[in-house]
Amino acid sequence: IISLLTNIWAKIANEPHQTGVVIMATEAFTIRAESEIVHKLDSLAGSLDRSRNYLVNQAIKAYLQANAPACDKINQGIAAADRGEVIAHDDVMREMEDLIASKAQGHA
C-alpha cells in the first residue's frame, strides 16, 4: 500500500518517482511582489503542502514554456531580416488581399 500511495503522490505532484534523489544546480535571486500575491502564494503553498519556492519555480517553468518559443521565432525573424531575407510590404499586402477576396468568395 505504501508503494502504491507513493506512486500516486508522485503522479499527482507531476514529478517522476525515483528511488534516488536528483539534485539540480540552483541559483538564488530576489524578487519584489505585491503583498496580496505573496499571501495568495503562501496560502496555495500551504494547501498543496509545497514550499513557496516550489510554486514559484513551477510558475517560471510554465511561463518559459509558454513564451520562449515566440521569442525564438521573433529572433529568427530579426536574423532573417538582417540577412536581407524579407518580402516587400506591397507583395505581402497583395497576397493578403487576394486571400481575403478568395475567402469572401467561398474558396479555400
Side-chain angles (χ1 to χ4, degrees):
I1 293 177
I2 298 296
S3 177
L4 177 62
L5 291 175
T6 302
N7 287 333
I8 291 171
W9 178 250
K11 290 177 184 174
I12 291 172
N14 198 23
E15 295 178 349
H17 177 66
Q18 300 179 8
T19 56
V21 176
V22 176
I23 299 174
M24 299 181 78
T26 63
E27 291 186 34
F29 71 100
T30 303
I31 65 163
R32 291 214 167 268
E34 297 170 12
S35 293
E36 181 180 346
I37 292 172
V38 174
H39 294 302
K40 287 181 180 181
L41 181 64
D42 287 341
S43 176
L44 183 60
S47 296
L48 296 173
D49 195 26
R50 291 290 190 175
S51 68
R52 179 193 295 176
N53 185 67
Y54 175 84
L55 296 182
V56 170
N57 271 289
Q58 294 300 94
I60 291 170
K61 286 177 187 177
Y63 181 87
L64 291 172
Q65 285 177 333
N67 293 288
C71 289
D72 289 343
K73 291 292 185 186
I74 290 168
N75 289 331
Q76 289 172 9
I78 291 170
D82 288 345
R83 292 189 303 269
E85 300 169 6
V86 296
I87 300 172
H89 180 266
D90 291 340
D91 293 341
V92 172
M93 293 307 296
R94 188 171 25 263
E95 185 174 334
M96 293 306 300
E97 289 166 358
D98 291 347
L99 180 62
I100 291 168
S102 176
K103 292 289 184 181
Q105 294 174 0
H107 300 116

